[in-house]
Amino acid sequence: MSEIFQKPLTLDEIKEKTDRYLFGNYARLPRAFYFGQGELLYDTDNRSYIDFFSGIAVTSLGHGEADIIEAIREQSDRIIHSSNLFYNQEQALLAEVLIQHTFPGKVFLCNSGTEANEAAFKLSRLFGQKAKGGAEKIISLHNSFHGRTSAGMALTGQEKIHSGFGNLIPGMIYLPPNDIAALENEIEASGKEICAFFLEPVQGEGGIHPLDTEYVLAAKKICEENEILFVFDEIQTGLGRTGKLFAYEHYNIKPDILTLAKALGNGFPVGAMIAKEDLAEFFSPGVHGSTFGGNHLASRVAYETIKIIMSRELLDHVVSLGDFMMQRLLLIKQKFDSVTEIRGMGLHLGIEMQIPCRDLVLSCLDRGLVVNCTSEKTIRIMPPLNLSLENASKGLDILENCISEFK
Ligand SMILES: Cc1ncc(COP(=O)(O)O)c(C=O)c1O
């Protein structure tokens, strides 16, 4: 075993190697974490932080979750990977549990969110080609985020994500969120050419903007009436984050396609696309695939993650703690003019600031709280789903103090 990992390097050493050997495509904050336990993170200087971010809504069960660690140990002892050229019991059992908790259909397993959306994009196009007279246009919303691969980027309705890459995959239509008339007009103009509509129930990277219920219900109905696949990207909202296992449950509807990743492996990379039964025929052998997708270890971790979420009454906790945090954030908003709006659902919360908030994130870090700034002016809070009331309260005190000094 390599000795070098047995103690932390200094932050300067890590930064020096990172700058020298890695692409500079991430605007990194000046901390490196070495250890995590529950809702606490420890940096290379052994300073502790309350984690209000879960590594972008990934470590939803907290760090060092004993049953996940045990599953990783036990599974890696037995077998990690064999490939999709063979059957694999962990994958089959994970798919079964995913279908049991969603809708009758089929599962494709992959390694990340953008790959789940890539699969949904390809499945939608195949549906359009084979079942809807060649329809290949796809609708998504302004300010959405669906990933960084070519299809993920094209699906994303943000100019800044497209910029510099030349011609994107053609056939995308970007519409304003919550505008039913704009959707109806588009359907009237080109409904026959449209195969799918991708949407996030809460735009996460775009600044925690929940879609209006009225809009989601109208969009679902319009899609149904016009043979357009309704694709819910729950890569950020899925697996309990909003207080239901999946956010679509809030609207009492079921999507045709659901995409998942992030919290599915509690930090282990795994993604999934679930599609209703009658789309299954379009993914025939050779049409799509992934070397790693759903390997023994990834599938085992995802299986255990879902079992834990469902067996520990976490969803009720998300609802009650989410209410508490929302109430406290509304009080903070009342006190400070720099806060303009509080948005969110469950433990997926956003604080809109009047000015860019990167410096606010830095001052929170200095006082032992990890939060994130997205969409320039939104503080995003996505703690582990099992965050304690005590640490929720402590973290909000830190945030309030930092906001009170934020000019
Ligand atoms: C809604 C949504 N879709 C897709 C993605 C892309 O996921 P990944 O970074 O795992 O490729 C993200 C990531 O933030 C996301 O929030």
Side-chain angles (χ1 to χ4, degrees):
M1 281 244 290
S2 305
E3 281 291 307
I4 193 158
F5 295 105
Q6 303 313 311
K7 67 179 179 55
L9 302 179
T10 66
L11 179 60
D12 283 344
E13 285 169 331
I14 298 168
K15 268 164 98 175
E16 194 272 326
K17 288 189 200 303
T18 302
D19 293 346
R20 186 183 301 208
Y21 297 116
L22 281 142
F23 279 109
N25 57 318
Y26 298 107
R28 296 178 196 269
L29 293 159
R31 294 292 187 286
F33 295 111
Y34 185 69
F35 173 65
Q37 187 56 51
E39 54 228 46
L40 298 180
L41 281 165
Y42 293 83
D43 69 14
T44 43
D45 291 324
N46 206 22
R47 290 195 47 199
S48 71
Y49 301 78
I50 297 171
D51 186 0
F52 268 18
F53 190 45
S54 312
I56 329 187
V58 168
T59 49
S60 277
L61 302 174
H63 304 276
E65 159 47 54
D67 287 353
I68 295 288
I69 293 174
E70 185 49 32
I72 291 174
R73 279 214 187 98
E74 200 252 351
Q75 185 61 49
S76 18
D77 242 11
R78 185 144 29 86
I79 184 165
I80 294 175
H81 179 88
S82 60
S83 93
N84 286 312
L85 299 186
F86 304 97
Y87 290 96
N88 143 0
Q89 72 174 38
E90 289 74 23
Q91 187 178 111
L93 291 167
L94 168 61
E96 180 179 50
V97 94
L98 282 169
I99 293 300
Q100 279 166 352
H101 288 104
T102 53
F103 42 85
K106 291 279 196 282
V107 177
F108 172 78
L109 294 168
C110 54
N111 318 287
S112 66
T114 198
E115 286 170 86
N117 283 337
E118 194 80 28
F121 182 97
K122 287 176 74 172
L123 187 62
S124 300
R125 282 278 175 98
L126 288 171
F127 160 79
Q129 289 296 318
K130 298 188 173 178
K132 202 183 166 185
E136 65 172 43
K137 291 191 177 164
I138 294 181
I139 300 177
S140 75
L141 297 176
H142 294 167
N143 198 43
S144 57
F145 184 79
H146 297 290
R148 301 277 189 170
T149 51
S150 298
M153 190 166 65
L155 286 165
T156 294
Q158 295 189 56
E159 181 51 37
K160 70 170 192 236
I161 304 287
H162 301 164
S163 170
F165 296 104
N167 292 329
L168 301 179
I169 297 177
M172 287 303 310
I173 301 166
Y174 306 107
L175 294 180
N178 298 324
D179 188 339
I180 298 173
L183 178 60
E184 283 171 344
N185 290 342
E186 186 58 53
I187 300 299
E188 207 176 306
S190 58
K192 289 197 167 52
E193 299 160 52
I194 299 170
C195 59
F197 180 7
F198 279 65
L199 64 171
E200 298 156 87
V202 180
Q203 294 190 329
E205 300 303 302
I208 311 284
H209 292 277
L211 290 179
D212 295 345
T213 301
E214 196 196 356
Y215 182 76
V216 174
L217 295 179
K220 166 74 179 150
K221 186 161 176 280
I222 290 169
C223 285
E224 248 168 43
E225 287 166 359
N226 291 278
E227 265 195 299
I228 294 170
L229 299 177
F230 194 65
V231 186
F232 243 43
D233 176 343
E234 292 227 33
I235 286 159
Q236 196 159 129
T237 54
L239 286 312
R241 173 75 31 212
T242 67
K244 301 260 187 205
L245 187 59
F246 300 109
Y248 70 75
E249 298 168 35
H250 290 289
Y251 315 96
N252 243 332
I253 53 163
K254 292 206 193 303
D256 299 310
I257 301 180
L258 174 69
T259 55
L260 303 174
K262 289 195 186 280
L264 185 56
N266 201 50
F268 198 91
V270 51
M273 175 193 65
I274 304 168
K276 64 178 186 179
E277 195 75 55
D278 53 3
L279 296 171
E281 60 176 299
F282 302 115
F283 264 11
S284 48
V287 163
H288 193 51
S290 160
T291 296
F292 294 127
N295 82 8
H296 298 268
L297 184 54
S299 296
R300 173 70 188 275
V301 178
Y303 179 92
E304 302 291 354
T305 301
I306 297 170
K307 288 281 175 186
I308 292 173
I309 293 174
M310 294 318 289
S311 64
R312 291 194 192 162
E313 289 171 12
L314 272 179
L315 301 179
D316 288 345
H317 179 71
V318 171
V319 173
S320 60
L321 193 70
D323 278 351
F324 165 76
M325 293 185 81
M326 175 62 96
Q327 293 312 319
R328 276 226 41 203
L329 291 174
L330 289 168
L331 290 174
I332 293 175
K333 176 182 171 285
Q334 276 178 15
K335 273 172 85 172
F336 303 106
D337 290 344
S338 55
V339 179
T340 59
E341 198 179 19
I342 309 293
R343 298 183 292 263
M345 280 167 114
L347 290 176
H348 196 221
L349 298 163
I351 308 167
E352 188 71 22
M353 304 296 296
Q354 237 168 27
I355 53 171
C357 49
R358 189 178 158 92
D359 286 349
L360 183 57
V361 168
L362 287 168
S363 66
C364 287
L365 273 180
D366 286 343
R367 291 177 195 195
L369 176 70
V370 179
V371 288
N372 162 254
C373 171
T374 188
S375 217
E376 216 186 338
K377 292 187 194 158
T378 312
I379 293 285
R380 183 167 45 163
I381 298 180
M382 306 188 289
L385 305 184
N386 49 12
L387 175 69
S388 64
L389 181 61
E390 190 191 348
N391 276 333
S393 194
K394 267 193 205 163
L396 288 168
D397 289 344
I398 296 175
L399 184 63
E400 179 168 351
N401 280 334
C402 293
I403 289 177
S404 74
E405 291 164 14
F406 185 58
K407 300 280 177 304

